[in-house]
Amino acid sequence: MNLVLEFYNYRIVEQYLGRFAEGLENTLVAAAVSLIAAVIVGTMLALCRMSSRAILWRPVAGYVAFILATPLLVQIYLIYYGLPILVPATGRWSELTLGIMALSLHNAAYMSEIVRGGIASVSRGQIEGGKAVGMSYLQRLRYIVLPQAFANTLPPLLGQTAVLIKDTSLLSIIAVFDFLSAGLLLNSERVRPNESFLTIAAGYLAIYAVMLGLSWTVKRWLAGPAWNAGR
């Protein structure tokens, strides 16, 4: 027992549960809001990227290239320090809000490429069928293209979501108190790296497990009763 406590003293961790809970809340808020924003913006970017109009796809292509070519850390600093200069009103925003914006803009570029691949995988015959029955462009997107695109790209979407959740740890560099910050606080005050980093790892693993379960639920819902009947 003493050996276990020497390696991982859970009693010390219990003293910091309140701080871990606070950090976990900020991490989940940042991840959830960033994910929703990234999927919405990424879908719009994907549609623009697939447009035949250069005025739509060229700026999007440049934006995606910039995001993919620069580190997220640099993008966070640009948003945190640069945006308040360009738009003074954002200087009153909290560090968490600016961090969420940086994560959203970063992941939107990756989501756009994933969604674009999913849209391209939808059978052309189904789209033409939608046209034949009189569906408008927006109706085809809503009922035919996007549900199948998201179902087809669920594994890479899940992978990018996992990356997003881990990337929230970078927000600690702009003074956002997240789950990683709670572990670092424990280590700085008690000098217990095992308790600090093993707790951080377990927390992120638990988040990923929950997200994996939700992804299967969403996949079954998107796929419809025909796919579920074959399970």
Side-chain angles (χ1 to χ4, degrees), residues 117-119 121-123 145-156 219 222:
I119 293 175
S121 70
V122 177
S123 171
V145 177
L146 292 182
Q148 293 186 71
F150 283 116
N152 293 341
T153 60
L154 198 58
K219 183 173 182 178
L222 287 174

Side-chain angles (χ1 to χ4, degrees), residues 35-54:
L35 176 61
I36 294 171
V39 170
I40 294 173
V41 176
T43 301
M44 293 188 293
L45 292 176
L47 295 174
C48 290
R49 185 75 183 273
M50 299 181 74
S51 173
S52 58
R53 300 180 180 180

Side-chain angles (χ1 to χ4, degrees), residues 6-22:
E6 182 65 26
F7 179 76
Y8 184 87
N9 193 332
Y10 62 88
R11 295 169 183 168
I12 295 178
V13 177
E14 287 177 350
Q15 299 172 17
Y16 287 82
L17 286 181
R19 301 297 279 166
F20 275 110
E22 179 185 352

Side-chain angles (χ1 to χ4, degrees), residues 112-145:
S112 71
E113 293 298 285
I114 294 172
V115 173
R116 187 161 69 99
I119 293 175
S121 70
V122 177
S123 171
R124 191 70 189 174
Q126 296 189 45
I127 299 174
E128 294 299 329
K131 290 181 181 180
V133 298
M135 284 186 173
S136 66
Y137 175 73
L138 291 179
Q139 287 176 326
R140 294 196 301 273
L141 282 179
R142 178 180 178 183
Y143 295 110
I144 299 177
V145 177

